[in-house]
Each structure stands twice: as C-alpha cells, then as structure tokens.
Amino acid sequence: MKEFLIEVTTNIPDGTEKAEVDRRRAAEAARAVELIASGHLVRIWRPVGESRSIALWRADDEAELREQILSTLPLWSWMTAAITPLESHPSDPGRTEVTV
C-alpha cells in the first residue's frame, strides 16, 4: 500500500446541536478503530494547542483513500484536508536498504 500524510481540520457548522456533534465524534472514534485494524490508519497526532490533526494513512492509491476510506468518516463532511502522497527517502532509517 502507498502512504499518505493528511492534515485535517474539523469545522463544526454553526448551529449544530451538541447531541449531533457528540454522536458523530463517537461514531468517528469507532470508525477509526476499524481503520486501524484494517491497516489504513497508521498513526495520528494533534499539534499541541491546536484542533487539527496530522495522520499517516495507507491505501492502494489516492482514489481509494478518498472514495472508500476517508469518505466513510462520520466527520468527513465537516473536515478540510490536505493530502500529501509519500514515498520513501533513500536515507529513511525505516527502510530495509539504505542507499549511500
């Protein structure tokens, strides 16, 4: 699978009832567990003091990522995302072979 770095900011629409926000957040947490188990959501971070998140995702390609994975997130319609496809760097310490 290919890897993608995704920066997400969630913007709750004005006037949204707290019960709806709570319902979607709970569903989002449950969906994240499923995506972790399937190997799509690899890591997720929240910058200190910010409401955005940065995550490492895996998918066969960007179309699958957008259409079959991210679109299934209950908060997705409230999110803005920057998706960056990644490739391994020759000096990546996580590579099995290092090119000098």
Side-chain angles (χ1 to χ4, degrees):
M1 282 196 273
K2 296 179 181 176
E3 294 183 319
F4 300 86
L5 184 70
I6 303 178
E7 292 188 48
V8 170
T9 302
T10 303
N11 298 298
I12 300 167
D14 290 338
T16 304
E17 293 186 18
K18 183 182 180 320
E20 175 64 9
V21 174
D22 292 345
R23 183 191 69 75
R24 285 197 189 205
R25 283 189 173 148
E28 185 86 4
R31 182 65 181 133
V33 169
E34 296 170 351
L35 292 168
I36 291 164
S38 66
H40 293 293
L41 177 53
V42 180
R43 296 289 310 267
I44 188 166
W45 301 267
R46 177 167 294 150
V48 175
E50 298 185 31
S51 61
R52 68 187 173 104
S53 62
I54 301 168
L56 179 62
W57 292 80
R58 289 188 179 132
D60 289 335
D61 54 38
E62 192 168 337
E64 178 194 34
L65 178 70
R66 289 178 180 274
E67 298 164 12
Q68 298 175 23
I69 299 168
L70 297 176
S71 69
T72 69
L73 296 170
L75 293 172
W76 186 245
S77 64
W78 295 350
M79 294 176 169
T80 55
I83 299 173
T84 304
L86 302 172
E87 61 183 21
S88 184
H89 187 280
S91 298
D92 180 359
R95 286 176 57 127
T96 57
E97 296 178 24
V98 178
T99 304
V100 180

